[in-house]
Amino acid sequence: MRLTVIGAGYVGLTSALAFAVVGHDVVCVERDPVRLSRLLRREDPLGEPGVGELLGQTAVRFVETDPEIDRADVVLVAVGTPMRPDGHADLVQVDEVSRSIAFGARPGAVVAIRSTVPVGTCDRLQTGALLHQLVVSNPEFLREGHALQDTFVPTRIVAGGPSAARAVVEALYAPLRERPCGSGVAAAQVPLIWTTSRSAELAKYAANGFLATKLSFVNEIANLADVVGADAGAVLRTMALDPRIGAGHLRPGLGWGGSCFPKDTRALAALAAGEGYDFIVLRAAIEQNNRQLAQFALMIERETPTDASIGLLGLAFKAGTADTRESPALALAHRLARTGRRVNAYDPAIRSTSDTAISRVDPDALAACTDADAVVVATEWPEFAALDLRALRDVTRGDLLVDGRAVIDPVRAAAAGFRYRGVGGLPAG
Ligand SMILES: NC(=O)c1ccc[n+]([C@@H]2O[C@H](COP(=O)([O-])OP(=O)(O)OC[C@H]3O[C@@H](n4cnc5c(N)ncnc54)[C@H](O)[C@@H]3O)[C@@H](O)[C@H]2O)c1
């Protein structure tokens, strides 16, 4: 099959590589000149495990525009859908790309919208710009830090659109649906749920909305555990063993962020509100998340002088990625810097930042925390759990260690001479 993938970000690049590996003929279009030039040198622009190696092994062609898009059986759209100030998804990139596809792609070609778009977007494109193509909603569920792995071994595939597109979508995914031996999952085919485009679009928002809500609930439990004198860790470990709940997304923290949860929860709430439906659970999850970060910052402010130096461990929005989009670590740094505190940072995946809230990015944790009045863990990198806390305490000025990701053992922290503050016990108000 001949594919054109538009957008070489987390979704587009990993889709392009995976489809090429399983035998499709893939062209990947990227308009960002910096990203494109790295891809032309076969360098990984994302820092995702395995991407660098695969770039050297596949024949994906990277281009600024695809002059042969009329040869494509399927055009996959994987451009950004950031958040507008009013909370709705910004569809400028999707609309722009759709107009160029309409101009170049052959009538009857399948256009698979892999970007996360509000319910009704594919219907609108089908009756508008892409009247002569077959528009399919085919959202992606990958996790950053596991982007390739999730693309090669997806938990599920959902797609919806005109029935004439179904066989093409099934043929596109057929090689990826065979679970490799040793994938750890029962050897059945990866489920492909064929439905309407509206259902596929909502399925993506529903998944992210649910996961974000789960995290907000977990944070509430951790806060409440502290109020009532319970051990949040024991409570959450007990919950994790219930198969109806599951162990994922059960770690308390200073709040969720990233390139997807904040914008997708806001877009889902805005979508519901636009239809006159008050999605109260989701609104509460968003509000709880804002409060969580604010209260976490307040706790640090109460325990440190205004001219304090903070050693911030972690900048990425989660471990396993260099992505700082909507990172709670950076949001926290901004609050602390605004009140006069100086923030030096270390993140295993990030060597520098242009973010004005960060005074300096250091090459290791000890350097970032030297002479710090407080150490703050803001990303759950496994190496932070293994830090030599005595060596850390030797270089800090103050003895406060604030663990915003529940990665440090409080007993070890106390033994090293730190005053440990975890996620629970946030000040009210
Ligand atoms: N990042 C994730 O973990 C993830 C997971 C699932 C779904 N999604 C969704 O997938 C979509 C893409 O996300 P992403 O993280 O891959 O975004 P990204 O910002 O990493 O990549 C998008 C790419 O599209 C390129 N682009 C934009 N307009 C273009 C055009 N006209 N021609 C060629 N290239 C163009 C951009 O330059 C950019 O490189 C979003 O809707 C997002 O919500 C993301």
Side-chain angles (χ1 to χ4, degrees), residues 14 17 44 47-57 145 148-149 152:
T14 49
L17 290 170
D44 171 13
E48 278 290 323
V51 164
E53 291 76 5
L54 269 195
L55 278 168
Q57 294 163 14
L148 260 189
Q149 182 196 333
F152 275 111

Side-chain angles (χ1 to χ4, degrees), residues 1 5 116 180 242 261 271 284:
M1 239 178 207
V5 178
T116 304
D242 185 331
F261 284 3
L271 179 88

Side-chain angles (χ1 to χ4, degrees), residues 268-283:
L268 182 55
L271 179 88
E275 297 295 326
Y277 186 86
D278 185 8
F279 200 150
I280 49 177
V281 173
L282 191 66
R283 279 197 300 106

